[in-house]
Every structure is written in structure tokens, then in C-alpha cells.
Amino acid sequence: VQLQASGGGLVQAGGSLRLSCAASGRTFSTYAMSWFRQAPGKERDIVAGISRSGGTTYYADSVKGRFTISRDNAKNTVYLQMNSLKPEDTAVYYCAAGPLIVTVPGSYTYWGQGTQVTVSS
């Protein structure tokens, strides 16, 4: 599975962005999908995750109520809608595919290349 993340950019605080992660191959629906982010000098942390069917989601406390993860298995794509963005959301965002939604980056099998999100104050 190859993952291609897109949709990052520069936005003012309070603004919105929608990230997309397109997957190649016919096995997309067999993977849980998550978004992680990594700011300079910090660890890569999970932002949100979604189960294979989309029926279960997970959000980090820092983004609950502001971010929404979704997936379209027919389009092999997972999305991250980010609203009410804050400067502390600035990071490189990565999509990842794995067997389950877990918070440990090492448990994911495939990673996208990352997309930069910058939120100005």
C-alpha cells in the first residue's frame, strides 16, 4: 500500500483545512487508518484514527471537538477535517495504515510522506 497525503498549507488561527490521504492498491479497506503529527523537536503523536469500516474513531484530547476523521473505502481515501485551528496544531501531518487504531507509531505498517500544516497567530 502506498499512501499519498495532501491538503496541508498555511492558515490563520481559527481557520480550517482538510487533509486527504489517498491509498493505492485494493486492500485499503483492510487497514485501520490514522493521522499523526510531528512538530520540530517533538515526537510523532497520534491525532486521530478510524477503524476499517469507519465505525470506530479515536481522537487525541487536544483535537477533540475540532478535528474529524473519515474514510471513503470506495475511493481508497481517508480525510482529516481540521477546524478552529490553533498555532499549536502546526506540524507535519502523516497518514498511516495498520491493523488496529493504536497510539504507537511503530505499530503501523505503511506511512504517507507527510504534509505541512502551519497555523499563524
Side-chain angles (χ1 to χ4, degrees), residues 1 4-5 7 9-10 26 28 31 34 37 40 51 54 60 68 71 74 78 84 94 97 102 106:
V1 175
Q4 180 73 37
L10 173 63
R26 294 175 289 181
F28 176 74
Y31 292 97
S34 292
R37 66 186 181 188
S51 62
T68 302
R71 68 189 295 163
V78 62
S84 302
Y94 299 90
V102 292

Side-chain angles (χ1 to χ4, degrees), residues 4-116:
Q4 180 73 37
S6 62
L10 173 63
V11 63
Q12 289 187 332
S16 298
L17 283 173
R18 188 175 84 152
L19 306 183
S20 299
C21 176
S24 63
R26 294 175 289 181
T27 60
F28 176 74
S29 62
T30 67
Y31 292 97
M33 298 295 298
S34 292
W35 287 95
F36 285 75
R37 66 186 181 188
Q38 187 168 21
K42 296 188 176 181
E43 295 183 346
R44 189 172 296 189
D45 293 324
I46 192 168
V47 174
I50 189 166
S51 62
R52 290 172 290 180
S53 67
T56 300
T57 56
Y58 166 88
Y59 295 96
D61 288 343
S62 59
V63 306
K64 281 181 181 176
R66 299 189 298 122
F67 290 11
T68 302
I69 189 170
S70 61
R71 68 189 295 163
D72 185 337
N73 286 343
K75 295 183 178 180
N76 283 6
T77 304
V78 62
Y79 305 96
L80 185 68
Q81 177 66 45
M82 305 186 294
N83 298 329
S84 302
L85 283 160
K86 304 175 181 180
E88 50 264 44
D89 294 318
T90 295
V92 178
Y93 283 70
Y94 299 90
C95 55
L100 296 169
I101 304 171
V102 292
T103 61
V104 179
S107 297
Y108 288 82
T109 310
Y110 302 102
W111 289 85
Q113 85 288 3
T115 184
Q116 176 71 46

